[in-house]
């Protein structure tokens, strides 16, 4: 068990460019979450997958954001036409869901800077 | 919509003291809470969770839940400089966690 892995760890991009982040969850975990965290704030929910199905998306997830989890394994989060306000830490978490008391394990995050 | 509120701090305590971190929540239906620790630039890591009224102890950490007052706290005994971090309170639902903004703790040697 190598934990949740996210790549890249850091990304600097110019405004208007597209970026894609990858998350590899803990093996066998059926749930995968994406959160966004800005300085001084707690993580904010973006979306989650149960296996390969994307079951909920936050209003924070504008139409410029898209997430996939093909085959229920790794997931990608793409941001199109990036804006400076997209600068944040993007966190991925996974869990082996068994109820509300199920712990979610976080990856190290991808820090996005839009210049 | 769940609201989870935390004082952003920083909370400064001397080494060896008890640090008390507090969290209030708006949804009376919330049944359980998680405490995560986050070092600067790192990802959150679970310290403990609590789902029953009263206290739950794990080593130097004690979580306290008072559902009537909608209040959950984390006590850290014998605080160490390595405890200096941001502590996040989180309320889970069937689909997500709602996080507070976190309280930054500084433990001074």
């Amino acid at each position: 068990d190598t934990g949740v892995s996210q790549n890249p760890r850091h990304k600097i991009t110019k405004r208007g460019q597209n970026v894609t982040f990858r998350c590899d969850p803990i093996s066998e975990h059926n749930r995968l979450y994406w959160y966004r965290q800005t300085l001084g704030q707690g993580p904010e929910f973006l979306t989650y997958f149960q296996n390969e199905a994307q079951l909920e998306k936050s209003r924070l997830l504008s139409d410029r954001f898209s997430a996939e989890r093909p085959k229920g394994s790794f997931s990608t989060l793409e941001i199109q036409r990036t804006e400076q306000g997209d600068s944040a830490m993007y966190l991925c978490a996974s869990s082996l869901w068994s109820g509300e008391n199920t712990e979610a394990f976080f990856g190290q995050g991808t820090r996005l800077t839009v210049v | 919509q769940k609201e989870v509120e935390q004082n952003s701090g920083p909370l400064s305590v001397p080494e060896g003291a008890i640090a008390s971190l507090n969290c209030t929540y708006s949804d009376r239906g919330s049944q359980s809470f998680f405490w995560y620790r986050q070092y600067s630039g790192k990802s959150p890591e679970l310290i403990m969770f609590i789902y029953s009224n009263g206290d739950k102890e794990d080593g130097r950490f004690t979580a306290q839940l008072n559902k009537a007052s909608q209040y959950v706290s984390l006590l850290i005994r014998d605080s160490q400089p390595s405890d200096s971090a941001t502590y996040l309170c989180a309320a889970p639902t069937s689909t997500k966690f709602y996080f507070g903004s976190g309280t930054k703790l500084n433990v001074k040697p």
Side-chain angles (χ1 to χ4, degrees):
Chain A
D1 184 352
T2 58
V4 179
S5 177
Q6 292 188 246
N7 287 288
R9 294 289 307 278
H10 303 274
K11 178 71 176 179
I12 300 175
T13 190
K14 292 183 178 180
R15 188 174 53 187
Q17 297 294 305
N18 299 343
V19 294
T20 300
F21 311 141
R22 177 179 171 124
C23 172
D24 288 272
I26 294 172
S27 180
E28 306 303 326
H29 277 191
N30 53 2
R31 283 206 176 182
L32 187 149
Y33 305 84
W34 284 100
Y35 283 83
R36 180 172 69 186
Q37 187 175 26
T38 54
L39 195 63
Q41 299 299 314
E44 294 177 295
F45 171 79
L46 292 178
T47 188
Y48 92 96
F49 293 83
Q50 179 86 18
N51 299 311
E52 69 276 7
Q54 187 176 20
L55 296 185
E56 186 169 334
K57 295 191 291 185
S58 164
R59 290 172 297 169
L60 294 174
L61 215 65
S62 76
D63 57 4
R64 296 185 298 106
F65 289 71
S66 62
E68 295 182 342
R69 192 184 183 196
K71 303 178 183 178
S73 56
F74 72 92
S75 176
T76 58
L77 178 67
E78 180 183 17
I79 308 174
Q80 297 181 326
R81 305 181 303 280
T82 52
E83 302 173 356
Q84 287 189 323
D86 297 331
S87 296
M89 175 78 87
Y90 290 83
L91 293 164
C92 176
S94 71
S95 71
L96 185 60
W97 174 255
S98 61
E100 288 187 9
N101 292 337
T102 304
E103 175 184 0
F105 295 84
F106 283 84
Q108 291 301 307
T110 295
R111 183 169 295 281
L112 173 67
T113 302
V114 181
V115 297
Chain B
Q1 177 74 20
K2 291 181 183 280
E3 295 289 339
V4 179
E5 301 288 337
Q6 294 182 260
N7 187 321
S8 61
L11 173 66
S12 293
V13 300
E15 183 175 356
I18 296 175
S20 178
L21 304 159
N22 305 313
C23 174
T24 59
Y25 59 95
S26 60
D27 186 347
R28 287 193 172 274
S30 295
Q31 297 297 313
S32 60
F33 295 87
F34 287 68
W35 282 100
Y36 280 84
R37 177 176 61 198
Q38 187 173 27
Y39 293 111
S40 181
K42 304 296 184 182
S43 62
E45 55 181 340
L46 182 69
I47 298 175
M48 63 193 305
F49 74 90
I50 185 167
Y51 56 87
S52 299
N53 264 334
D55 297 358
K56 179 181 179 182
E57 186 174 321
D58 184 0
R60 295 187 297 112
F61 299 94
T62 299
Q64 299 175 319
L65 176 59
N66 184 325
K67 293 185 179 181
S69 299
Q70 296 178 238
Y71 178 93
V72 59
S73 64
L74 180 69
L75 302 179
I76 306 175
R77 291 182 299 282
D78 187 24
S79 296
Q80 301 296 309
S82 60
D83 294 326
S84 297
T86 296
Y87 290 80
L88 297 163
C89 174
T93 69
S94 60
T95 60
K96 65 180 76 69
F97 287 87
Y98 286 95
F99 285 88
S101 58
T103 299
K104 186 171 184 178
L105 173 66
N106 291 328
V107 181
K108 299 179 179 180

